[in-house]
Amino acid sequence: MPPQASPPPSTPPSHEDTQQTAAACTLRALTAVRPQEAAEQEAERDRPRVSVEPVHALIIIGVLVIALATSLTLLIQQSMSLAHEQNGTPVASAATGAPAAQAPQSAPAASEPAGTMPDASSQPTASEPATIEPTFTPVDLNTASQAQLESVKGIGPVTAANIIAYRASAGRFTSVDELLNVQGIGAKTLEKIRPYVGVR
């Protein structure tokens, strides 16, 4: 029978280990922390602060995907409306209800012969402004209403109001060139609207 191996002799604790253990016990005693409480605090500290279940993670991902899809949809709609505005597509004006871009409406009418134009007695209404062409009787600056002035290509609501205010303060227009005295009308604007307006 072979002799049994004796267990390795245990190394006695060193002097430094003994001092550290004594210091730890002294600190716990001074702070009134029991060893069991210290172990519980260490376990609490090691535990993760936020725990997310897989179901909750899927819900959060779904909400984020929906928010991303919504924001992309809004971005695409805004870019499409901006593209329509830059291409000159008629967009309803909030102030007058009239189309903002009247060029597409006036182009076909310019190619029609003069005999097919409506006669001068038909006046455009405020709810349905008409585009006035050079072959048509020009709008009289001395009698035109706000809506009639706004129907002229190149005159907006603000400019039409300025023309009426100038007419009220300075009296009747004697010539179309007098429009240069109206605020907001320069030489280029005058040349653009000259065929559409007149003085009688």
Side-chain angles (χ1 to χ4, degrees), residues 7 9 12 23 26 33 35 57 91 96 106 155 169:
T26 306
V33 176
V91 180
T96 61
S106 61
I155 297 180
S169 65

Side-chain angles (χ1 to χ4, degrees), residues 102-113 133:
Q102 295 181 357
Q105 295 176 355
S106 61
S111 62
E112 294 178 1
E133 298 300 321

Side-chain angles (χ1 to χ4, degrees), residues 5-46:
S6 62
S10 61
T11 57
S14 69
H15 182 65
E16 291 179 0
D17 290 340
T18 309
Q19 285 182 345
Q20 287 179 355
T21 306
C25 291
T26 306
L27 280 173
R28 283 192 187 121
L30 289 174
T31 56
V33 176
R34 288 176 290 195
Q36 186 179 10
E37 290 178 350
E40 289 175 0
Q41 288 177 357
E42 286 180 13
E44 185 76 25
R45 187 172 56 238
D46 293 340

Side-chain angles (χ1 to χ4, degrees), residues 117-124 130-139 195-196:
M117 297 300 290
D119 58 348
S121 62
S122 63
Q123 297 291 331
T131 303
I132 299 173
E133 298 300 321
T135 57
F136 187 68
T137 304
V139 171
Y196 304 99

Side-chain angles (χ1 to χ4, degrees), residues 130-153:
T131 303
I132 299 173
E133 298 300 321
T135 57
F136 187 68
T137 304
V139 171
D140 186 6
L141 292 174
N142 291 317
T143 60
S145 66
Q146 172 98 13
Q148 289 171 331
L149 288 171
E150 288 178 25
S151 68
V152 175
K153 186 172 70 172

